[in-house]
Amino acid sequence: LTDRLLSHPGRLSILYFLTLIALVTLLLLLPFATRGWVFTNFPVAFFTAVSALSTCGIPVVNTAEYWSAFGQVVILLSIQFGGLGVMTFASMVALGVSRRLKVSQRMLTASELGTNKLSEIKSVLSVVLGTSIIAEALTFVLLLPDLFHLNHGNVGRTLWEALFYAVSAYNNTGFTPDATGLHINRWGVGLPILLSAFVGTLGFPVVLNLVQCARRRMSPKRWTLHTKLTLTTTGILVLASLAWFLLVEWSNSALFPADDPGMKLRRALSAAVMPRSAGFDISWVPEVTDETKVLMSALMFIGAGSSSTAGGIRVTTFAVIVLICCASFTGHRDVVVFRRRLPRRIQMTAVSVMTACFALVLVGSVALMFVTGCDFVDAVFETCSAFSLGGYSVGVANAGNPACLFILAAAMIVGRLGPLTIAYAISRPMAPEPIRYPQENIIVG
Amino acid sequence: LTDRLLSHPGRLSILYFLTLIALVTLLLLLPFATRGWVFTNFPVAFFTAVSALSTCGIPVVNTAEYWSAFGQVVILLSIQFGGLGVMTFASMVALGVSRRLKVSQRMLTASELGTNKLSEIKSVLSVVLGTSIIAEALTFVLLLPDLFHLNHGNVGRTLWEALFYAVSAYNNTGFTPDATGLHINRWGVGLPILLSAFVGTLGFPVVLNLVQCARRRMSPKRWTLHTKLTLTTTGILVLASLAWFLLVEWSNSALFPADDPGMKLRRALSAAVMPRSAGFDISWVPEVTDETKVLMSALMFIGAGSSSTAGGIRVTTFAVIVLICCASFTGHRDVVVFRRRLPRRIQMTAVSVMTACFALVLVGSVALMFVTGCDFVDAVFETCSAFSLGGYSVGVANAGNPACLFILAAAMIVGRLGPLTIAYAISRPMAPEPIRYPQENIIVG
Ligand SMILES: [K+]
Ligand SMILES: [K+]
């Protein structure tokens, strides 16, 4: 049985997440998990468990005020196991492809993924774990001085907050241990979190490839295609949203409390980097214009890097779709980028993932409108945030509305497991078609 | 020059539409075109010209009350020339593909399009014209009795209204010559218009194929793949929206004024058929729930048949996308439907048309939100209606806001010419790629 499960990372990841969701929900239902020693109702406990395990991070109760120390530890461990789980499974899926190819092709694929030293599942796990621990430890240490100052010298509280922030940032969850929210305006707290969250969104294969190339002093030209495409697309998205926030929200006093250009730049930068996955610093979100909500929904839907703790359809999926359009409109048959041709199967996967996820978000949004009566723009925002594990909320998620919590929790579970499972299903070796039907043209467009 | 233009239906159609838009705008600017002998301001005249020529039909002034008899004749002719233009050009594009193939393939393609008797542009034009005249004449005759009754025996008015409705219905424009709107609740008026509009949405190649097969008593199994796919998808969309209107809007008194199940069924049927393109009977549209606005936006975006006067990305494009997803998720390499394989180029075209049009609608909606301050759901609805030539309005189009009129007019022009031009660009024979780059895998999803 173990063998069968291990040979199917898709099934294994579903089993892993569902077991953890059940376990964490049970733990959070205990009165011991709350500050007030009360029985949390089932929808709230279930929603918080799913939100933490999927590294989405939408809160329905104030994490610092409602949950006890025990509850917060459970949430922290959920984030850590959720993040590790998805990175490990995603890498296993990526390797699973190569394990079925011939040795020569396998070497090629493996080196493309930046994982040519990992031939076994155990090594994948240890490298993922190692990377996480290094990144989180770095963030933890960098956060200590300023948090120590902010907590007026309370050592225990400083250590706890630094640990919580470090785990929450690298895993892109966005839960905060402080009732007043994130001190984003202090560089000492904001910058390590921003950087850690940004590295987390790139995804494990990109980080590993960058580290390897830097060690061997290889020029950026020799990065893998996946690394080039992820970094380029991420860069364009971040710059475009930075420009948008500065232009459109310049006079929004909720986002930019003081009229200081330096502060505006800092906050716009955090607003540009965070939405695609991290979801920290959420106090200003319900105050933005509807236009910005639409932009943020689109950014969240696109999401971050593949095999990262972030969600969405992934930047590479988005890039492939754009490249297919460019090729079509210029009358080319091959989809080419950085002097490489994209395989046909990758193109089909990208189209399918985007279409299925778009349909899901649309259906989820309309369902939310039915059960909460909220605006379309808010429903889209909240569904995109849940599906893409963004973690922002414009207030539709409401502890008093179980139907709404279940819809959003379902969006999170699908957002966490869906693209992975789809990618796995498609990455299976395709049997040669038993019957090949004749072609027939139709008219489209 | 004529030769060069005729050999490029894409260029020719752009020239044709831009010339007509300029001419009609000039005519509508004349005081003679209005009942009040006033100079219409430029945005309103331009918007009305574009709305009529693109067969979109969103009104910003009451057609019957604002425009004089001369103005209404100009609008009627615009609808007719707009509709004929697009059907002719679309058929030319479809034939243009076959004219560049070898003779054997050409015979195949031509017979697939249901146009194997048309080898020349002149014959295309005459068949399109003939089909239009037959369909419009039938509608005209069927409308006479009830309109005569409604107009209390006024013969001149009856003839004029029947002509206007007949042209407006088959060309799917939705302008009404009656200040009080369409008498949809009388079968004598509603049914001929509904049927004529429905036939118009199927598109010229489907209608021709159906007529030919019926003449030769061929079984539906021998319909072309294009006909099968268009009819199946249209059927599913109509049934799904019929069910939606009956379930969700059952107690909406604007859509269903009386509590009579028979009447509810009639109006729900018209609401289910019309949105994808016709746009008659618009009084109830602003009164529907936000959920229904989202559904109608999606239906309008999908649109109707290829080479029809209707717009949208077309039902076949939508069907191809769904089929690509089904093939991916079941691990198949070939995209198969009705025992036929869809060519690779058709798949790329469908993906490109859908993505480009979606991006256009999103940008247009956000632009509308900036200039009018309306809700996201209304902006999406209005942009979808303009882009897809649906002709419904929830009141965002406003004679007093030129920026808004220009954005919507731009959406209509792109909606009319865009998919056609894209399809043409892609249908060009592809040069063999001069350089074939090596493949490299990336991770998506
Ligand atoms: K998050
Ligand atoms: K219309």
Side-chain angles (χ1 to χ4, degrees):
Chain A
L1 184 72
T2 316
D3 260 15
R4 276 194 64 183
L5 277 174
L6 279 176
S7 68
H8 290 83
R11 281 186 213 162
L12 188 61
S13 65
I14 291 173
L15 188 73
Y16 175 87
F17 274 100
L18 294 186
T19 312
L20 280 183
I21 288 170
L23 185 72
V24 173
T25 307
L26 275 179
L27 289 175
L28 290 181
L29 280 171
L30 299 174
F32 189 53
T34 66
R35 275 198 197 280
W37 278 82
V38 291
F39 279 100
T40 307
N41 66 13
F42 176 73
V44 170
F46 176 69
F47 184 87
T48 307
V50 171
S51 187
L53 279 166
S54 66
T55 74
C56 177
I58 298 180
V60 279
V61 290
N62 190 308
T63 309
E65 283 172 0
Y66 183 84
W67 302 109
S68 66
F70 171 74
Q72 291 186 37
V73 169
V74 169
I75 290 174
L76 189 68
L77 288 175
S78 304
I79 297 171
Q80 185 66 72
F81 278 99
L84 281 178
V86 74
M87 285 192 286
T88 309
F89 291 126
S91 308
M92 276 161 64
V93 167
L95 282 177
V97 183
S98 69
R99 293 204 297 159
R100 279 190 195 77
L101 300 174
K102 287 179 201 151
V103 176
S104 60
Q105 285 177 302
R106 183 178 156 185
M107 287 302 295
L108 187 70
T109 320
S111 92
E112 279 162 9
L113 297 179
T115 53
N116 52 5
K117 283 179 187 161
L118 320 168
S119 54
E120 290 302 322
I121 293 167
K122 280 182 191 168
S123 354
V124 176
L125 185 61
S126 64
V127 173
V128 169
L129 201 63
T131 321
S132 294
I133 288 174
I134 294 172
E136 288 172 9
L138 264 174
T139 320
F140 176 79
V141 172
L142 287 172
L143 282 172
L144 285 178
D146 260 46
L147 283 178
F148 186 71
H149 177 75
L150 279 169
N151 284 312
H152 310 292
N154 182 335
V155 176
R157 175 133 203 90
T158 302
L159 290 175
W160 169 244
E161 286 198 353
L163 180 67
F164 202 105
Y165 275 132
V167 172
S168 192
Y170 182 71
N171 290 298
N172 272 288
T173 310
F175 275 124
T176 52
D178 191 329
T180 56
L182 185 64
H183 307 280
I184 195 67
N185 215 22
R186 295 184 68 94
W187 276 134
V189 181
L191 200 62
I193 289 180
L194 205 63
L195 284 178
S196 173
F198 183 75
V199 171
T201 61
L202 291 179
F204 173 69
V206 172
V207 173
L208 213 61
N209 183 236
L210 287 178
V211 170
Q212 284 177 341
C213 287
R215 261 196 207 157
R216 298 184 205 152
R217 296 164 194 267
M218 279 152 68
S219 90
K221 279 192 184 167
R222 296 187 56 198
W223 287 346
T224 62
L225 182 60
H226 180 73
T227 302
K228 287 179 190 165
L229 212 52
T230 303
L231 288 180
T232 314
T233 319
T234 304
I236 292 171
L237 289 176
V238 168
L239 287 181
S241 39
L242 181 65
W244 174 285
F245 276 106
L246 287 176
L247 287 173
V248 176
E249 300 286 339
W250 185 259
S251 51
N252 182 340
S253 63
L255 177 55
F256 302 128
D259 199 12
D260 162 26
M263 190 271 274
K264 288 198 175 191
L265 190 66
R266 279 200 297 274
R267 288 186 79 111
L269 188 65
S270 110
V273 170
M274 296 291 196
R276 287 179 314 110
S277 153
F280 278 113
D281 185 30
I282 59 174
S283 57
W284 51 271
V285 172
E287 310 297 328
V288 297
T289 60
D290 279 0
E291 290 88 342
T292 301
K293 285 181 191 167
V294 175
L295 175 90
M296 288 174 73
S297 302
L299 286 175
M300 289 193 289
F301 184 74
I302 295 172
S306 291
S307 306
S308 76
T309 49
I313 61 168
R314 314 304 155 100
V315 286
T316 40
T317 310
F318 176 69
V320 170
I321 303 280
V322 172
L323 291 168
I324 293 177
C325 292
C326 292
S328 284
F329 296 155
T330 53
H332 288 87
R333 194 187 288 114
D334 288 352
V335 179
V336 169
V337 62
F338 293 121
R339 294 167 175 270
R340 288 291 178 280
R341 197 152 41 92
L342 290 176
R344 169 103 183 81
R345 188 182 286 186
I346 296 289
Q347 297 174 35
M348 270 183 91
T349 310
V351 171
S352 314
V353 167
M354 188 193 67
T355 311
C357 294
F358 180 76
L360 179 90
V361 166
L362 198 62
V363 170
S365 305
V366 173
L368 265 194
M369 289 167 79
F370 274 120
V371 302
T372 68
C374 65
D375 274 353
F376 183 51
V377 68
D378 289 339
V380 168
F381 188 98
E382 207 84 357
T383 314
C384 278
S385 178
F387 162 73
S388 308
L389 315 172
Y392 284 111
S393 171
V394 285
V396 177
N398 172 353
N401 190 334
C404 159
L405 293 184
F406 287 127
I407 291 172
L408 289 174
M412 287 177 205
I413 294 176
V414 175
R416 177 81 294 168
L417 296 175
L420 192 67
T421 315
I422 293 172
Y424 177 69
I426 297 174
S427 72
R428 282 179 311 191
M430 293 187 180
E433 304 286 340
I435 311 169
R436 287 214 98 190
Y437 292 104
Q439 282 201 353
E440 181 170 341
N441 249 310
I442 60 168
I443 316 172
V444 294
Chain B
L1 184 70
T2 317
D3 261 15
R4 275 195 64 184
L5 277 175
L6 279 177
S7 68
H8 289 84
R11 279 186 214 162
L12 188 59
S13 64
I14 292 173
L15 188 72
Y16 175 87
F17 273 100
L18 294 186
T19 312
L20 280 182
I21 287 170
L23 185 71
V24 174
T25 307
L26 275 177
L27 289 175
L28 290 181
L29 280 173
L30 299 174
F32 189 54
T34 67
R35 276 199 197 281
W37 278 81
V38 292
F39 279 100
T40 307
N41 67 13
F42 176 73
V44 170
F46 174 70
F47 184 86
T48 307
V50 171
S51 187
L53 279 166
S54 66
T55 75
C56 177
I58 298 180
V60 278
V61 290
N62 189 308
T63 308
E65 282 173 1
Y66 184 84
W67 303 109
S68 66
F70 171 75
Q72 290 186 38
V73 170
V74 168
I75 291 174
L76 189 67
L77 288 175
S78 305
I79 297 170
Q80 185 66 74
F81 278 99
L84 281 178
V86 74
M87 284 191 287
T88 310
F89 290 127
S91 307
M92 277 162 63
V93 167
L95 283 176
V97 183
S98 69
R99 293 205 298 160
R100 280 191 194 77
L101 301 174
K102 284 179 205 152
V103 176
S104 60
Q105 285 177 302
R106 184 178 154 188
M107 288 302 294
L108 186 71
T109 319
S111 93
E112 279 162 10
L113 296 179
T115 53
N116 52 5
K117 283 181 188 160
L118 320 167
S119 55
E120 290 302 322
I121 292 166
K122 280 182 191 167
S123 356
V124 176
L125 186 59
S126 64
V127 172
V128 169
L129 200 64
T131 321
S132 294
I133 288 174
I134 294 172
E136 288 171 10
L138 263 174
T139 319
F140 176 78
V141 171
L142 287 172
L143 282 173
L144 286 179
D146 259 48
L147 283 179
F148 187 71
H149 177 75
L150 280 169
N151 284 311
H152 309 293
N154 181 335
V155 176
R157 175 133 203 89
T158 302
L159 290 175
W160 169 244
E161 285 198 354
L163 181 67
F164 202 105
Y165 275 132
V167 171
S168 193
Y170 182 70
N171 290 299
N172 272 287
T173 310
F175 275 124
T176 52
D178 191 328
T180 56
L182 184 63
H183 308 280
I184 195 69
N185 215 22
R186 295 184 68 93
W187 274 136
V189 181
L191 201 61
I193 289 181
L194 205 63
L195 284 178
S196 174
F198 183 73
V199 171
T201 60
L202 291 179
F204 173 69
V206 172
V207 174
L208 214 62
N209 183 238
L210 288 178
V211 170
Q212 284 178 343
C213 287
R215 263 198 206 158
R216 298 185 203 152
R217 295 164 195 267
M218 281 153 67
S219 89
K221 279 191 183 169
R222 295 187 55 199
W223 288 346
T224 62
L225 181 61
H226 179 72
T227 302
K228 287 178 190 166
L229 211 53
T230 303
L231 288 180
T232 313
T233 318
T234 305
I236 292 172
L237 290 176
V238 168
L239 287 181
S241 37
L242 181 65
W244 175 284
F245 275 106
L246 287 176
L247 286 174
V248 176
E249 301 285 339
W250 185 259
S251 52
N252 182 339
S253 63
L255 178 54
F256 303 127
D259 200 11
D260 162 27
M263 190 271 274
K264 289 197 175 189
L265 190 64
R266 280 200 296 275
R267 288 187 78 112
L269 188 65
S270 112
V273 170
M274 297 291 197
R276 287 179 313 109
S277 153
F280 280 111
D281 185 30
I282 59 175
S283 57
W284 52 271
V285 173
E287 310 297 328
V288 297
T289 59
D290 279 0
E291 291 87 344
T292 301
K293 286 181 191 168
V294 175
L295 175 90
M296 289 176 72
S297 303
L299 286 175
M300 291 193 287
F301 183 74
I302 295 171
S306 291
S307 306
S308 76
T309 48
I313 60 168
R314 315 304 155 101
V315 286
T316 41
T317 310
F318 176 68
V320 170
I321 304 279
V322 172
L323 291 168
I324 293 177
C325 291
C326 292
S328 283
F329 295 155
T330 53
H332 288 88
R333 194 188 287 116
D334 288 352
V335 179
V336 169
V337 64
F338 291 121
R339 293 166 175 270
R340 288 291 178 280
R341 199 152 40 91
L342 290 176
R344 168 104 183 81
R345 190 183 284 185
I346 295 290
Q347 297 176 34
M348 270 184 92
T349 310
V351 172
S352 314
V353 166
M354 188 193 68
T355 311
C357 294
F358 180 76
L360 180 90
V361 166
L362 198 62
V363 171
S365 305
V366 173
L368 266 194
M369 289 167 80
F370 274 120
V371 302
T372 68
C374 64
D375 274 353
F376 183 52
V377 68
D378 290 339
V380 167
F381 187 97
E382 207 86 356
T383 313
C384 279
S385 178
F387 161 74
S388 308
L389 315 170
Y392 283 112
S393 171
V394 284
V396 176
N398 171 353
N401 190 334
C404 159
L405 293 184
F406 287 127
I407 291 171
L408 289 174
M412 287 178 205
I413 295 176
V414 176
R416 177 81 293 168
L417 296 175
L420 193 66
T421 315
I422 293 173
Y424 177 70
I426 296 174
S427 72
R428 282 178 310 190
M430 292 184 180
E433 305 285 340
I435 311 169
R436 287 214 98 189
Y437 293 104
Q439 281 201 353
E440 181 169 341
N441 249 310
I442 60 168
I443 316 172
V444 295

